[in-house]
Amino acid sequence: QAQLQESGGGLVQPGGSLTLSCVVSQSIFSRHAFMGWYRQAPGKERELVAHFTSGGGRDYTDSVKGRFTISRDTLTNTLYLLMNSLKPEDTGVYFCNVQHGGSVYWGQGTQVTVSW
């Protein structure tokens, strides 16, 4: 059983919206865990897009600020990435990530394509 199971990717037109979901195993869904979203475009390195800070806030890479929102539901152990005003340069494979207890966990990746 995968520790992280993500879904929600697909094809969307520029300006559209998508919400990615990541169901996290209860055992590692902790207030002490690092939780975030990464993405990787073809030929580029994987980059951190959004994450919860140690102080309980949220942080985003500059290119998505004002457009993306990271959230989580403690009742369902689900991590979300809400993406609005999507641009072609947002295209890539998105991965949820959890780091807890000295271990790193990755979702399987979900493809997001922003194109006409």
Side-chain angles (χ1 to χ4, degrees), residues 51-89:
H51 70 280
F52 289 99
T53 67
S54 59
R58 303 163 179 175
D59 202 6
Y60 305 90
T61 191
D62 286 344
S63 63
V64 309
K65 286 181 178 177
R67 301 187 298 117
F68 289 14
T69 302
I70 185 172
S71 66
R72 56 190 170 189
D73 186 337
T74 59
L75 296 180
T76 60
N77 301 328
T78 304
L79 183 67
Y80 297 98
L81 184 66
L82 289 69
M83 305 183 293
N84 297 314
S85 302
L86 283 161
K87 305 175 181 179
E89 48 263 48

Side-chain angles (χ1 to χ4, degrees), residues 7-116:
S7 61
L11 174 64
V12 64
Q13 294 182 352
S17 300
L18 279 176
T19 298
L20 307 182
S21 300
C22 178
V23 180
V24 181
S25 296
Q26 186 178 34
S27 61
I28 62 171
F29 197 94
S30 168
R31 61 182 293 270
H32 304 293
F34 172 92
M35 297 186 188
W37 288 91
Y38 290 76
R39 70 183 178 190
Q40 187 166 24
K44 297 183 178 180
E45 293 188 338
R46 189 171 299 185
E47 65 172 340
L48 179 62
V49 175
H51 70 280
F52 289 99
T53 67
S54 59
R58 303 163 179 175
D59 202 6
Y60 305 90
T61 191
D62 286 344
S63 63
V64 309
K65 286 181 178 177
R67 301 187 298 117
F68 289 14
T69 302
I70 185 172
S71 66
R72 56 190 170 189
D73 186 337
T74 59
L75 296 180
T76 60
N77 301 328
T78 304
L79 183 67
Y80 297 98
L81 184 66
L82 289 69
M83 305 183 293
N84 297 314
S85 302
L86 283 161
K87 305 175 181 179
E89 48 263 48
D90 294 318
T91 294
V93 180
Y94 285 69
F95 302 86
C96 53
N97 173 266
V98 176
Q99 300 172 34
H100 183 254
S103 296
V104 181
Y105 306 90
W106 291 96
Q108 80 277 15
T110 185
Q111 176 71 43
V112 173
T113 302
V114 184
S115 177
W116 295 107

